[in-house]
Amino acid sequence: MSEENWIEVGSTDSIEEEDLIRFDHQDKTFCVYKLTDGFYATDGICTHEAVHLEDGLVMDDEIECPMHQGIFNIKSGEALSPPACEDLKTYPVKVDNDKIFIKID
Amino acid sequence: MKNNIVILGGGQAGIYAAREIRQNDSKSNIKILGEENLLPYERPPLSKDFLLDKKKEEDLYFHSSDVLKNENIEFENISINKVDFENKKLFAKNDNVYSYDSLLISTGSENKKLTLDNNLKNDIYYLRNLEEAKKIKEIVSNKNKITIIGGGFIGLEIASSLSQLQKKVIVIEIGNQLMGRIIPKQIADLVQNTHIEHGNEIILNKQIEKITKKNGDYEILLNDNSLIETDFIIVGIGSTPTVKLFENTNLKLDNGIVTNQFCETSIKDVFAAGDVSNFYHPFYERNMRLESYQHAQNHGICAGKNIAGVKTEYTSIPWMWSDQFNLNLQLTGICDEYDEIIKRGNDINNGVIYFFLKNNKIRGACGVGIIGKVGRDIRITSKLTEKDTIVDKQILSDQNLKLNKLIQK
Ligand SMILES: Cc1cc2nc3c(=O)[nH]c(=O)nc-3n(C[C@H](O)[C@H](O)[C@H](O)COP(=O)(O)OP(=O)(O)OC[C@H]3O[C@@H](n4cnc5c(N)ncnc54)[C@H](O)[C@@H]3O)c2cc1C
Ligand code: FES
C-alpha cells in the first residue's frame, strides 16, 4: 500500500455526524461520510443516473439518492433499493491527526 | 401447502409481488401472465432517457430471465380475455385456461383516447409501453414540429425530451395550468417557465375542435379558432385503470379495483395492486388510486406478503417524481387536504417546496428544483408525515435550517 494513494479530504470536524461532504479529486467525485462508528467513503455519483449523492439523505448506514430514492449501504456500497441496482464503489478511509484521508486506486 | 398463484399483468407491481411471494413461500407455483411479449420493465425512462437514447431496451428490465428461473417464477406471454371468479379460472384468447388458488390482478392502467370524428386513429400516438416508445422514437427522428395534446406529466416529459432532440414542440392543455390534477399551480408555473425558456410553446385553456390531415401533415383547430400546423401528434390526456375484463363480474370496481389495506378485493382470494387498484390508505383514512413507480413497487410487495399469508397493512406514504429538462419534481403524501400552506425556498436553483399542513402536521408536499435539490427535503417530509409529527414551521420555511433537525429527535 503506497503512501501516495492516500488523499487528504479535510479535517474530521468538517462533517457533522450522520452527514456527508462531497470531495472532488482530479476528475472524480467522492462522498465522505461520518457515521456513528467512523468515517466512510463512496463514489459521489449515483449508479442509476448521473446525480450527485452529496444532496442525498444519510440515515443510519445508508445513503438515499435525492433523485429517485435509490438506496445504498455506505459501508459496503450495496444497492439496497430500486431503481438503483448497481452497487456503489467504496474506498478505504483513515484518520490521522484529525485529518481524513481516502485511498483512491 | 402448495398453491397455484397466478399474477395477471406482468408489470412492475406484478414482478415485485411474485418475488415477495417467493421470499415467503418456497413451494407454491407462481405464474405471471403478461400480454406484452417482454419481461417486466420500467416505464419511467420511456418518456425520458429512452427517447433521448441514454437508455437502451436492455437497461429497462427489472430482472433477467435467470433471476426468474432461479426463483422458480414462471412468466407466460398471453392475453387474458375472460375471468370466472366463481370457478377460479382465467381464459385466454387461444383457449388456454388457467386455474388459480390465489389471484393477483396487476393489469395497470391505459391511456385515455382522444375522441375524434374523423378517421385519424392511426395518425395519433400515445405512450404507455416500450413498443409505442420505439415507434415514437423512430418516427420523430424525421419530424420537426411536434404537438403534444395534454400537459400532464407524461406529455411534459415527452416535450422535454423532444426539445432536447432539437424539435419544435407545442403543448396544448385544456386546463388553466400544467399537471393540473395533482400539482399546486405555483410549482406548475415554475415548470412551465422552464419549458418556455427551452423554446417549447405552452398553450393553456384551449380545447381541440378538429384535426385535419393535409399533405401528410396536420392542422389542429382550437376552440378559439386558431390553427396549429404540425407534422406529428402525441396525446397524453391521462389514464384509466385497466378493468374492462372485470366489468360484468362481482368484483367491486370504483375508479379501479377497490381494495382494503391488505390489497384484498371484494372477492375472496383475489388481490389487486399497482395502478389498477383503488386502495384504502389507513393513514389518510380514505381510498386512493396512484400511478407511480414507488407505489407499484411497494404495493406489489405488500400484496405479495398478504398472498403468502403474511398479513401486512399497506401504509406507504405516496411519493412520485418527474424529470423534465434539468428539473426534478417530487410529490409526497397528498396535497389536497390542508388548512395551511408553507413555502420553503424561492429559487428553482436551490429548490422550492410547498408543504400542505393540517392541524400543524404535514399531509403532503410538492417541490421542484434543479436535479438533486429537493429530494432530501421531500424524503424527510415523507418521514415526518408518516410519524404524524407536529412540525416547527420556522424550520420548514427557512431553507437555511436543515430539515434533518425535525426527524433526529
Ligand atoms: C411513459 C411513462 C412514464 C412514467 N414516469 C414515471 C415517473 O417518472 N415517476 C413515477 O413515479 N411513475 C412514472 N410512471 C408510472 C409508473 O411507471 C406506473 O405507475 C407503474 O408502471 C405501474 O405499475 P403496474 O404494475 O401497476 O402497471 P404496469 O406496469 O402498467 O403493468 C401492467 C401490465 O399488465 C398487462 N396487462 C393488462 N391487461 C392484461 C390482460 N388482460 N392480460 C395480460 N396482461 C395484461 C399490461 O400489458 C402491462 O404490461 C410512468 C409511466 C409511464 C407510462
Ligand atoms: S439517479 Fe439515483 S436513484 Fe435514480
Side-chain angles (χ1 to χ4, degrees), chain B residues 142-381:
Chain B
N142 47 39
K143 302 285 179 191
N144 294 310
K145 197 171 174 194
I146 291 150
T147 300
I148 294 169
I149 300 177
F153 287 111
I154 293 182
L156 291 172
E157 289 177 355
I158 299 171
S160 150
S161 300
L162 296 184
S163 163
Q164 292 173 66
L165 296 172
Q166 318 308 327
K167 308 292 176 191
K168 171 84 190 101
V169 181
I170 302 175
V171 178
I172 304 170
E173 163 60 40
I174 192 171
N176 65 353
Q177 67 160 88
L178 297 175
M179 303 171 287
R181 281 172 309 143
I182 39 177
I183 297 296
K185 179 159 174 20
Q186 300 90 326
I187 297 276
D189 289 348
L190 292 172
V191 174
Q192 178 172 336
N193 291 344
T194 301
H195 276 265
I196 293 169
E197 280 163 18
H198 284 85
N200 285 354
E201 189 179 341
I202 308 277
I203 302 175
L204 298 176
N205 293 310
K206 294 288 180 304
Q207 230 167 310
I208 312 292
E209 287 290 326
K210 198 173 174 189
I211 303 180
T212 350
K213 197 166 180 173
K214 268 202 178 150
N215 309 326
D217 291 343
Y218 305 92
E219 261 180 13
I220 304 176
L221 175 68
L222 301 182
N223 57 342
D224 63 349
N225 280 327
S226 55
L227 263 187
I228 290 170
E229 286 179 5
T230 190
D231 50 16
F232 191 67
I233 301 173
I234 304 174
V235 174
I237 52 172
S239 50
T240 51
T242 306
V243 292
K244 202 155 188 288
L245 204 51
F246 318 111
E247 270 164 5
N248 296 312
T249 70
N250 288 334
L251 189 66
K252 189 170 174 200
L253 303 177
D254 175 15
N255 179 30
I257 301 171
V258 178
T259 57
N260 64 11
Q261 63 269 49
F262 303 107
C263 307
E264 294 164 335
T265 69
S266 59
I267 296 179
K268 192 171 176 295
D269 300 325
V270 179
F271 299 75
D275 281 12
V276 76
S277 104
N278 181 358
F279 64 98
Y280 180 75
H281 198 300
F283 178 79
Y284 291 103
E285 296 179 326
R286 69 180 221 198
N287 271 66
M288 53 177 83
R289 193 175 75 79
L290 301 173
E291 293 172 7
S292 95
Y293 184 97
Q294 173 246 22
H295 171 65
Q297 172 187 317
N298 292 348
H299 210 210
I301 291 172
C302 184
K305 284 195 166 61
N306 284 301
I307 291 168
V310 184
K311 195 101 176 163
T312 309
E313 249 193 354
Y314 186 67
T315 55
S316 186
I317 299 294
W319 174 75
M320 59 101 45
W321 84 87
S322 173
D323 301 329
Q324 298 169 37
F325 296 106
N326 56 347
L327 297 182
N328 172 241
L329 180 151
Q330 297 196 11
L331 182 76
T332 179
I334 54 173
C335 302
D336 60 357
E337 274 182 14
Y338 56 89
D339 53 28
E340 192 175 357
I341 301 179
I342 292 181
K343 184 186 182 197
R344 180 178 173 87
N346 293 305
D347 178 0
I348 207 159
N349 290 305
N350 297 319
V352 179
I353 299 179
Y354 286 84
F355 298 97
F356 296 84
L357 283 74
K358 198 171 175 187
N359 302 328
N360 302 312
K361 295 171 180 173
I362 302 175
R363 302 292 278 176
C366 180
V368 71
I370 299 297
I371 281 167
K373 291 303 171 198
V374 294
R376 176 165 44 196
D377 284 351
I378 290 284
R379 182 66 178 118
I380 294 171
T381 305

Side-chain angles (χ1 to χ4, degrees), chain B residues 22-40:
Chain B
R22 185 54 83 223
Q23 288 265 315
N24 293 283
D25 170 353
S26 57
K27 296 202 186 76
S28 290
N29 297 318
I30 305 174
K31 184 175 231 169
I32 302 176
L33 305 175
E35 70 188 357
E36 290 183 77
N37 191 13
L38 298 163
L39 289 178

Side-chain angles (χ1 to χ4, degrees), chain A residues 82-101:
Chain A
C85 52
E86 206 181 303
D87 293 349
L88 197 61
K89 197 166 167 19
T90 58
Y91 300 88
V93 181
K94 71 174 183 187
V95 174
D96 198 354
N97 272 328
D98 294 334
K99 295 228 166 351
I100 309 166
F101 296 83

Side-chain angles (χ1 to χ4, degrees), chain A residues 59-72:
Chain A
M59 290 288 283
D60 302 322
D61 290 351
E62 293 165 8
I63 170 76
E64 190 172 284
C65 174
M67 184 100 160
H68 308 126
Q69 299 190 351
I71 300 178
F72 302 92

Side-chain angles (χ1 to χ4, degrees), chain B residues 379-393:
Chain B
R379 182 66 178 118
I380 294 171
T381 305
S382 304
K383 287 181 186 284
L384 291 169
T385 308
E386 195 171 25
K387 288 184 177 158
D388 219 14
T389 321
I390 294 197
V391 284
D392 180 336
K393 295 174 194 167

Side-chain angles (χ1 to χ4, degrees), chain B residues 114 116 120-126 211 218 233-235:
Chain B
L114 195 67
L116 291 167
L120 284 176
K121 257 200 227 132
N122 296 334
D123 292 60
I124 289 182
Y125 289 77
Y126 296 85
I211 303 180
Y218 305 92
I233 301 173
I234 304 174
V235 174

